[in-house]
């Protein structure tokens, strides 16, 4: 069993990260026309608006919350906040965002599976990714009662230490993670698996979502429209010295 834990929490993270980065680069280089989210809004709006908004709000909050919570050293926030306080904030905020995200994703999954028109235009990977995300969110919500039972923040410190050791290429003690309740371990493995499947699914559009921040710094696009019933060239810029 120790060998299984050693692979899952010492080797598997680097496998997933390598596939995540290299697979995304290769797909962008070789198959850019598949780099999209394949919106089905034209087929049926229905639950899409509520489901998509709830899901995206929740998933973005959870993503950045996990990033800050796992990769911020205790010495940074320990000056003004205890580990127990941080864990309480994470449980409350994460629970609310997770509930929103779970409800929204359930709407999207129901729509994708049970609407005949959308089901016919869906790839198997589309449904598979939604199911994996749905299970991952469900397991994440299951961890909340266990977190309340360890209100001193000890579990959070163990998980944060593991994540920080992984990204800084330091040795990891997998046996320490094996002492945690099963929902935490399943949640970690499913989370890494999502990164592994990322380049082979519609999730790659997340890269484009982050890239849209660059549009804030682009110059305004000049658009000139031709009015109806006017001759060509009427709306072109007037040359200096030209008569009216």
């Amino acid at each position: 069993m120790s060998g299984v834990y050693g692979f899952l929490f010492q080797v598997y993270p680097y496998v997933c990260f390598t596939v995540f980065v290299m697979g995304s680069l290769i797909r962008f280089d070789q198959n850019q026309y598949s780099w999209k989210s394949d919106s089905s809004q034209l087929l049926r709006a229905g639950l899409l608006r509520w489901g998509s908004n709830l899901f995206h709000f929740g998933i973005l909050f959870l993503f950045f919350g996990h990033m800050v919570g796992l990769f911020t050293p205790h010495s940074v926030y320990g000056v003004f906040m205890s580990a127990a306080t941080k864990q309480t904030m994470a449980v409350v905020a994460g629970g609310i965002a997770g509930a929103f995200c779970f409800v929204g994703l359930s709407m999207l999954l129901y729509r994708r599976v049970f609407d005949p028109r959308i089901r016919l235009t869906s790839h198997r990977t589309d449904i598979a990714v939604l199911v994996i995300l749905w299970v991952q969110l469900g397991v994440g919500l299951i961890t909340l009662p266990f977190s309340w039972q360890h209100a001193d923040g000890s579990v959070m410190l163990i998980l944060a230490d593991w994540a920080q050791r992984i990204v800084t290429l330091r040795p990891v003690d997998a046996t320490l993670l094996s002492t945690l309740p099963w929902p935490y371990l399943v949640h970690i493995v499913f989370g890494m698996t999502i990164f592994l499947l990322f380049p082979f699914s519609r999730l790659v559009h997340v890269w484009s979502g982050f890239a849209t921040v660059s549009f804030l710094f682009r110059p305004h696009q000049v658009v000139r429209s031709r009015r109806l019933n006017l001759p060509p060239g009427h709306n072109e810029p007037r040359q200096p010295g030209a008569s009216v």
Side-chain angles (χ1 to χ4, degrees):
M1 184 60 70
S2 61
V4 175
Y5 285 116
F7 171 77
L8 289 177
F9 303 111
Q10 293 176 330
V11 179
Y12 192 53
Y14 296 110
V15 174
C16 295
F17 181 76
T18 302
V19 174
F20 168 68
V21 175
M22 298 304 299
S24 298
L25 292 175
I26 293 173
R27 180 170 177 179
F28 183 78
D29 180 66
Q30 301 293 329
N31 197 9
Q32 292 187 19
Y33 287 107
S34 69
W35 193 281
K36 54 184 179 179
S37 61
D38 287 331
S39 175
S40 58
Q41 183 178 1
L42 292 177
L43 297 177
R44 189 101 61 194
L47 298 174
L48 180 62
R49 179 174 300 175
W50 276 102
S52 180
N53 288 334
L54 288 173
F55 169 72
H56 283 92
F57 165 78
I59 201 69
L60 288 174
F61 187 94
L62 292 174
F63 175 78
F64 289 109
H66 278 70
M67 293 291 290
V68 173
L70 289 176
F71 298 112
T72 303
H74 178 66
S75 57
V76 173
Y77 65 84
V79 178
F80 55 89
M81 182 188 304
S82 65
T85 302
K86 181 187 176 185
Q87 177 164 312
T88 301
M89 292 177 57
V91 170
V92 174
I96 295 173
F100 284 158
C101 190
F102 186 80
V103 171
L105 184 57
S106 298
M107 292 180 180
L108 297 178
L109 182 59
Y110 176 85
R111 177 177 175 271
R112 180 73 58 176
V113 173
F114 294 102
D115 190 309
R117 297 182 64 190
I118 299 176
R119 178 66 183 270
L120 288 174
T121 59
S122 299
H123 302 288
R124 286 177 294 180
T125 55
D126 298 337
I127 299 176
V129 167
L130 288 178
V131 171
I132 292 175
L133 289 172
W134 190 82
V135 173
Q136 171 71 336
L137 282 167
V139 175
L141 293 174
I142 293 174
T143 64
L144 297 181
F146 290 90
S147 297
W148 280 120
Q149 296 175 8
H150 302 84
D152 58 350
S154 58
V155 172
M156 183 195 63
L157 291 176
I158 293 175
L159 295 174
D161 179 70
W162 168 79
Q164 292 166 26
R165 286 179 176 273
I166 288 295
V167 298
T168 55
L169 305 179
R170 290 181 293 162
V172 174
D173 185 7
T175 58
L176 185 61
L177 288 175
S178 65
T179 62
L180 299 179
W182 69 266
Y184 293 105
L185 305 182
V186 175
H187 193 57
I188 293 173
V189 173
F190 263 93
M192 294 186 294
T193 303
I194 290 172
F195 281 95
L196 180 70
L197 300 176
F198 186 97
F200 312 104
S201 67
R202 63 167 57 198
L203 292 176
V204 291
H205 79 278
V206 175
W207 285 117
S208 300
F210 288 126
T212 54
V213 178
S214 62
F215 281 85
L216 298 176
F217 306 99
R218 292 180 58 182
H220 294 292
Q221 182 179 9
V222 179
V223 179
R224 296 186 177 94
S225 61
R226 177 174 296 172
R227 297 179 183 178
L228 296 177
N229 302 321
L230 292 177
H234 182 83
N235 60 340
E236 293 182 357
R238 189 169 50 187
Q239 299 297 326
S243 59
V244 180

